[in-house]
Amino acid sequence: MLLRLNDDVRVVMEATGIYHLPVLCYLQEKGLFVAVVNPFEMKKYRCQGLRRVKTDKQDTVTISNYGIDHWYRLKEYEPEESIYAELKLLGRQYRHYMRMRVESVLELTHLLDYTMPGIKTLLKGWNETNGKDKLGDFVEEYWHYDNITKKSEEQFIESYLKWAKEKGYHQSQDKAAKIYMLAKESIPTVSSDTSSTKMLVQEAVRVLREIDNTLLTILTQMQTLAKSLCLPEYPVVRAMGGVGNVLAPKLIAENGDVRRFHSGKALIAHAGIDAPPYQSGQFTGTEREISKRGSSSLRKSGYEVMRCLKTHKEPEDAAVYRFILKKKKKESQNVP
């Protein structure tokens, strides 16, 4: 029916996560003009009247009226390039498995509080860059302090150095001595003779290792896709302070094609870190909070970049670095 209309046809729909995409793709395949409206903008338009009626029929009328009122301002939906869409999907899955990893680490830590209290303070966890987990590898081998204290200090040090060499970790006698001293001084609250103790610890490590492998696989694919982009995006993003091989594909995945932003302000609004002006009469607000109307995932990635940036030495282009340290100092002074 739409194709038979001898007139300019424009379809207007409200973005609903991923649920509008099948209809959107179908209509675009038929050659129809389709505009996708941000739900927040449609909500503002819907609330113009005094009565707040919310039914499917009324929503249809409202969206139609929006299309008529903004007929000449409507922009046809332009799908992202497949590589950006794939990067975004990989990025979302990466965050999903990272949440699973956090929960799994908490469970393993909870078990270790029974069998090896304090061991987490001496051994590092998962390294996102190389995919190794020293804490997991260690407690899989020595799942209870009894496995350490039944040996002499010299025997354990020799055993630890052999284990570190096999796993590819730094062979430190000092570290082994500290672990042995901690094992001697600590009081496990679950006996090593309990039949399920070893099984629970090793299963927790196994689940954690599976998640780590999945994360490393996804990250490797994201890096491959990011490096294959036509534009030199990856080296440009990689050269930013605080951005390494892990954060670079995350940023590209969340930003998508930066060419779609007409200015830096548009990118800031997309991230939701803009502070809209507020003025009434003679009052002008200056201490404004960010809008948080944009991508929360992009804001989180930006936070990770700034956290990494301030932990390293001052770079050559230090404008952002000094600004972050200045903000941190100001916030610390405001804390009572």
Side-chain angles (χ1 to χ4, degrees), residues 145-162:
Y145 276 150
D146 289 350
N147 298 325
I148 297 175
T149 55
K150 67 182 180 182
K151 302 178 180 180
S152 66
E153 184 174 358
E154 291 76 15
Q155 288 175 333
F156 173 72
I157 291 176
E158 182 181 353
S159 175
Y160 176 87
L161 295 178
K162 182 180 178 181

Side-chain angles (χ1 to χ4, degrees), residues 261-327:
F261 300 111
H262 58 78
S263 66
K265 291 183 178 180
L267 177 56
I268 290 173
H270 171 68
I273 57 175
D274 57 328
Y278 185 84
Q279 185 271 336
S280 180
Q282 297 181 354
F283 172 78
T284 301
T286 55
E287 297 293 332
R288 301 288 292 154
E289 296 181 355
I290 62 175
S291 65
K292 295 185 180 180
R293 294 291 185 191
S295 171
S296 59
S297 301
L298 181 55
R299 291 197 300 274
K300 184 176 180 181
S301 297
Y303 168 78
E304 292 177 355
V305 171
M306 294 300 102
R307 187 182 62 179
C308 293
L309 177 63
K310 68 182 183 182
T311 57
H312 293 76
K313 65 179 182 179
E314 182 174 319
E316 294 182 4
D317 185 8
V320 178
Y321 178 82
R322 292 171 183 169
F323 175 78
I324 291 298
L325 293 185
K326 180 181 176 182
K327 292 288 288 185

Side-chain angles (χ1 to χ4, degrees), residues 96-294:
H96 166 69
Y97 285 107
M98 184 58 75
R99 288 193 294 268
M100 290 179 59
R101 190 186 190 284
V102 171
E103 294 178 359
S104 299
V105 168
L106 290 175
E107 286 300 320
L108 177 60
T109 303
H110 180 66
L111 287 172
L112 294 179
D113 286 339
Y114 289 109
T115 62
M116 308 178 75
I119 190 64
K120 194 174 184 295
T121 60
L122 292 181
L123 298 173
K124 293 183 179 180
W126 183 56
N127 188 323
E128 200 172 19
T129 303
N130 56 29
K132 287 189 174 184
D133 187 350
K134 189 173 184 179
L135 177 64
D137 290 341
F138 181 82
V139 300
E140 184 181 33
E141 180 75 17
Y142 306 95
W143 45 272
H144 197 283
Y145 276 150
D146 289 350
N147 298 325
I148 297 175
T149 55
K150 67 182 180 182
K151 302 178 180 180
S152 66
E153 184 174 358
E154 291 76 15
Q155 288 175 333
F156 173 72
I157 291 176
E158 182 181 353
S159 175
Y160 176 87
L161 295 178
K162 182 180 178 181
W163 167 85
K165 183 178 180 180
E166 291 177 354
K167 295 293 184 179
Y169 296 114
H170 178 61
Q171 302 173 51
S172 172
Q173 293 188 7
D174 183 56
K175 178 71 71 175
K178 289 181 179 179
I179 294 175
Y180 188 82
M181 183 180 299
L182 180 64
K184 278 288 187 180
E185 295 176 349
S186 299
I187 304 176
T189 53
V190 172
S191 173
S192 59
D193 296 331
T194 304
S195 58
S196 58
T197 302
K198 179 180 179 180
M199 180 270 294
L200 288 174
V201 174
Q202 292 187 340
E203 280 299 303
V205 173
R206 185 189 64 80
V207 170
L208 194 56
R209 184 172 288 124
E210 288 295 327
I211 297 175
D212 290 344
N213 291 335
T214 301
L215 286 169
L216 187 60
T217 301
I218 294 176
L219 182 61
T220 302
Q221 180 66 9
M222 290 178 68
Q223 291 172 339
T224 303
L225 288 174
K227 292 176 181 178
S228 67
L229 292 170
C230 296
L231 292 175
E233 293 179 53
Y234 187 82
V236 171
V237 175
R238 182 65 181 80
M240 293 167 56
V243 180
N245 292 327
V246 176
L247 286 174
K250 290 183 183 179
L251 282 175
I252 296 174
E254 288 303 324
N255 279 324
D257 189 354
V258 294
R259 292 171 294 183
R260 74 183 194 274
F261 300 111
H262 58 78
S263 66
K265 291 183 178 180
L267 177 56
I268 290 173
H270 171 68
I273 57 175
D274 57 328
Y278 185 84
Q279 185 271 336
S280 180
Q282 297 181 354
F283 172 78
T284 301
T286 55
E287 297 293 332
R288 301 288 292 154
E289 296 181 355
I290 62 175
S291 65
K292 295 185 180 180
R293 294 291 185 191

